[in-house]
Amino acid sequence: MKIESIILHHLSMPLIAPFETSFGRETDRQCVIVEVHSEGLVGWGECVASYNPGYSYETVGTAMPTLRDFIIPLILGKDIKDALDFQDRMESIRGHHLAKAGVEMAIWDLIGKREGKSLKQLFGGVRDKVEVGVSVGIQASPEKLVETVTDFVNNGYARVKIKIKPGKDVTYAQAIRKAFPNIRLQVDANSAYSMDDADSLKPLDDLNLLLIEQPLFEDDIWDHHKFQAKFNTPVCLDESIVSPRHARYAIEMKACKIINIKAGRLGGLSQGIQTHDLAQQNGMPVWCGGMLETGIGRASNLALASMPNFILPGDVSASDRYYTRDITHERFVLNADSTIDVPNKPGLGVTIDEEALTSYTLAKVVV
Ligand code: OSB
Ligand code: MG
């Protein structure tokens, strides 16, 4: 597949409701949409870097020049066979996984469109719909959190994740468990704690949580091993697992019992698949994380989550949880059984609402 030209779209999209985590509050979500032209086809990808370096050191501000000056020149005018060929060509660039993954997604979209196969088919997905949940941001009080979660539960979400941070953790989780004794519940700290906090978090162990996500530093796998040893609840790693190699470290160190897979953080869908396979070989369940994606990234997440070892519900909510108007014509809806259908058209299976795309564009770069 000869890569003829690539267009980068830097977007800012207003969120329906602000999203707050331990690292900050977002009212608009920024990202980079990657449009790749090849042999009469157009492939689309989403780089999930945001405005702030809160989740990752990468931002839209680092992704745009890294894509333009380093990543794209390695593939422009070249014949790219597949995602692994793309990864080989990235060998000389350290890090910048979110940027690389945005391009790799567009390559998968092109491959699927050329071969008339959906990403689910290309990945060997085994489900037509995947179980999903909702990730609820930090709220002003436990009462407000219960109110917000109640709305989502009434909308049909059967699994709820709440964000926690120091001062807004145990009492918030207890309030939700009391209000919803049977709901599938999990918490995500986004690296807000250290081992010194482990004892104060111990009451979380009594709340029948599915998992505790990324309590400690993002570059620390070893302390997560110590944390896991103190808790019965499974620890799940997000930020710490930046490659299939890191997944192996975490498995060997017994630093977690579950892995959150995000293709962006891992450097591409191919790396997400490899991480999935490695976890599966080691009997460790995975689930698909989210980055408040547009319809492009959401389609990609659903295809990935159709693979067999995605055993726990994903952070892939319906489009109306994020945006009033998305940049794809397709909108993803929540089924009555708390699932979302996996796209089945060639490639990502979505079409772009060019008018919406233009309306959200802050900058456009043609390479
Ligand atoms: O840690 O999972 C996270 C959003 C932005 C950055 C990090 C995370 C999240 C979410 C949102 O939890 C999940 C979603 O897309 O709904
Ligand atoms: Mg997380």
Side-chain angles (χ1 to χ4, degrees), residues 42 44 109 113 294-300 327-332 343-353:
V42 184
W44 295 87
D109 190 28
K113 283 170 172 163
T294 72
I296 295 174
R298 192 166 320 289
S300 166
I327 59 168
T328 53
H329 291 118
E330 296 74 13
R331 284 183 73 79
F332 295 95
N344 55 16
K345 299 207 174 65
L348 287 167
V350 292
T351 54
I352 305 306
D353 180 343

Side-chain angles (χ1 to χ4, degrees), residues 46-241:
E46 177 166 347
C47 162
V48 297
S50 35
Y51 176 72
N52 289 312
Y55 172 78
S56 162
Y57 68 87
E58 289 183 79
T59 65
V60 167
T62 67
M64 286 291 276
T66 303
L67 285 161
R68 183 192 63 205
D69 299 340
F70 300 106
I71 292 174
I72 294 171
L74 291 174
I75 59 168
L76 201 63
K78 304 271 166 48
D79 192 30
I80 305 297
K81 278 207 310 288
D82 52 27
L84 293 180
D85 181 16
F86 169 77
Q87 289 293 332
D88 284 345
R89 291 170 195 266
M90 293 300 123
E91 242 162 33
S92 61
I93 300 178
R94 297 280 74 76
H96 296 282
H97 285 184
L98 307 186
K100 290 172 183 168
V103 178
E104 203 201 281
M105 192 190 296
I107 289 171
W108 280 106
D109 190 28
L110 283 169
I111 293 169
K113 283 170 172 163
R114 188 190 56 193
E115 297 183 7
K117 289 186 178 154
S118 67
L119 258 56
K120 179 200 153 196
Q121 282 176 292
L122 294 175
F123 297 166
V126 294
R127 323 183 167 89
D128 295 326
K129 51 185 193 164
V130 301
E131 280 191 283
V132 302
V134 62
S135 172
V136 182
I138 290 167
Q139 306 291 320
S141 65
E143 296 72 36
K144 186 78 208 349
L145 180 63
V146 170
E147 220 175 274
T148 307
V149 168
T150 302
D151 286 344
F152 284 121
V153 171
N154 290 342
N155 280 332
Y157 289 101
R159 191 229 69 185
V160 172
K161 158 168 138 181
I162 61 168
K163 294 288 190 175
I164 56 169
K165 69 174 184 183
K168 296 196 168 206
D169 40 44
V170 170
T171 50
Y172 284 67
Q174 285 168 337
I176 296 300
R177 182 46 90 214
K178 188 156 171 251
F180 302 97
N182 298 316
I183 200 155
R184 301 173 86 185
L185 181 64
Q186 60 194 59
V187 297
D188 186 0
N190 287 109
S191 304
Y193 300 94
S194 72
M195 271 309 285
D196 295 342
D197 303 308
D199 289 339
S200 73
L201 291 173
K202 190 61 183 158
L204 291 176
D205 239 359
D206 300 326
L207 298 179
N208 186 26
L209 302 179
L210 289 174
L211 56 91
I212 300 173
E213 186 175 348
Q214 195 70 38
L216 311 178
F217 299 117
E218 101 282 1
D219 60 352
D220 196 332
I221 294 179
W222 180 243
D223 272 359
H224 278 104
H225 157 84
K226 295 188 204 164
F227 189 97
Q228 178 67 89
K230 278 184 172 258
F231 283 75
N232 297 319
T233 309
V235 169
C236 168
L237 291 178
D238 175 354
E239 283 90 327
S240 291
I241 307 300

Side-chain angles (χ1 to χ4, degrees), residues 233-285:
T233 309
V235 169
C236 168
L237 291 178
D238 175 354
E239 283 90 327
S240 291
I241 307 300
V242 294
S243 69
R245 249 183 325 106
H246 284 68
R248 178 172 64 76
Y249 302 154
I251 291 167
E252 289 181 1
M253 283 190 229
K254 298 188 177 11
C256 63
K257 292 182 179 166
I258 296 170
I259 293 175
N260 164 326
I261 293 195
K262 291 179 182 169
R265 191 193 70 228
L266 291 159
L269 283 159
S270 64
Q271 307 306 295
I273 293 166
Q274 286 179 15
T275 305
H276 161 275
D277 294 349
L278 181 79
Q280 187 172 34
Q281 286 151 20
N282 286 278
M284 185 180 284

Side-chain angles (χ1 to χ4, degrees), residues 314-354:
D315 270 351
V316 191
S317 307
S319 306
D320 66 7
R321 183 258 181 278
Y322 308 96
Y323 307 108
T324 22
R325 185 176 183 187
D326 207 334
I327 59 168
T328 53
H329 291 118
E330 296 74 13
R331 284 183 73 79
F332 295 95
V333 294
L334 188 69
N335 300 319
D337 57 355
S338 193
T339 63
I340 296 183
D341 295 349
V342 179
N344 55 16
K345 299 207 174 65
L348 287 167
V350 292
T351 54
I352 305 306
D353 180 343
E354 301 271 356

Side-chain angles (χ1 to χ4, degrees), residues 22 26-27 43 124 190 249 292:
S22 61
E26 271 175 290
T27 53
N190 287 109
Y249 302 154
L292 313 175

